[in-house]
Amino acid sequence: METDRSYEQVPDVEADSVPDPHWLTLRYGSGLPEAYMAPTMGGKQPARLRLVAGLMLSIFLMATIQGICLTYGLPG
């Protein structure tokens, strides 16, 4: 079985082909709330998501500046 192919060897998609609906559900659907999932693309986001992201970044930045290991706690 040949597994290594160059891009030129990949066959073209037929004009009447239809994507698998399960793939579309996995690609675009989510069972998680929108606020739980970070946006994966740039652009204007709701103010509450930007606020939460800024808060989380500042918490991690302050912990790093103070030398706190967020996995194991205080050094020593």
Side-chain angles (χ1 to χ4, degrees):
M1 175 190 289
E2 183 181 333
T3 57
D4 293 334
R5 289 190 177 191
S6 67
Y7 184 75
E8 291 80 23
Q9 293 174 321
V10 177
D12 287 335
V13 178
E14 297 176 11
D16 61 342
S17 62
V18 178
D20 182 4
H22 298 293
W23 181 84
L24 291 175
T25 301
L26 289 173
R27 176 73 172 102
Y28 299 110
S30 176
L32 298 172
E34 181 182 329
Y36 184 78
M37 299 299 292
T40 56
M41 298 179 74
K44 186 101 170 128
Q45 301 298 329
R48 61 181 162 80
L49 287 180
R50 288 184 281 147
L51 178 67
V52 170
L55 179 65
M56 295 297 291
L57 285 172
S58 63
I59 289 172
F60 288 120
L61 182 63
M62 290 305 296
T64 302
I65 289 171
Q66 294 177 5
I68 299 172
C69 178
L70 297 174
T71 306
Y72 299 109
L74 294 171

